[in-house]
Amino acid sequence: MPLAIMRLWHGRVPLEKADEYERFLIERAVPDYGSVDGLLKIYFTRKDEEGVAHFLLVTVWDSMESIKKFAGENPEMAKYYPEDDDFLLEKEKYVQHYRVFYEG
């Protein structure tokens, strides 16, 4: 039985829009994720390189059922907001899930 499930989503944004996208994620996505029971931890990260900001959103959930409450019946599919069209260079179709088998 896994301790938890880690969900990873990656997106790329032009560097000139990255600060605004950070604010958008905090104001729009964080409350959405947080509204779902079963969310254990949330890490929104950013790495800037050569005109592009990479965003890696790492969320930790208590079960795949909780992830489905957030993402829908196909939890391997990325979830997007209408506003993402104003920021993202492309919309990656899939997220990744990892089983957490140890936590220190």
Side-chain angles (χ1 to χ4, degrees), residues 7-13 21 52-57 76-80 84-85 88-96:
R7 177 180 171 92
L8 296 99
W9 172 87
H10 172 260
R12 296 182 324 123
V13 173
Y21 193 59
V52 175
H54 293 264
F55 287 84
L56 181 65
L57 278 53
E76 68 281 352
M77 305 294 285
K79 176 179 175 176
Y80 289 101
D84 283 319
D85 290 336
L88 294 170
L89 292 170
E90 72 273 320
K91 289 185 187 173
E92 296 181 9
K93 189 171 182 177
Y94 300 104
V95 299
Q96 296 180 349

Side-chain angles (χ1 to χ4, degrees), residues 45-85:
T45 68
R46 172 179 161 184
K47 176 176 76 170
D48 297 344
E49 62 181 20
E50 298 181 18
V52 175
H54 293 264
F55 287 84
L56 181 65
L57 278 53
V58 179
T59 51
V60 182
W61 302 83
D62 65 357
S63 68
M64 190 57 74
E65 287 307 309
S66 294
I67 294 172
K68 286 180 180 179
K69 289 178 198 168
F70 169 73
E73 280 304 308
N74 296 313
E76 68 281 352
M77 305 294 285
K79 176 179 175 176
Y80 289 101
Y81 303 99
E83 299 92 336
D84 283 319
D85 290 336

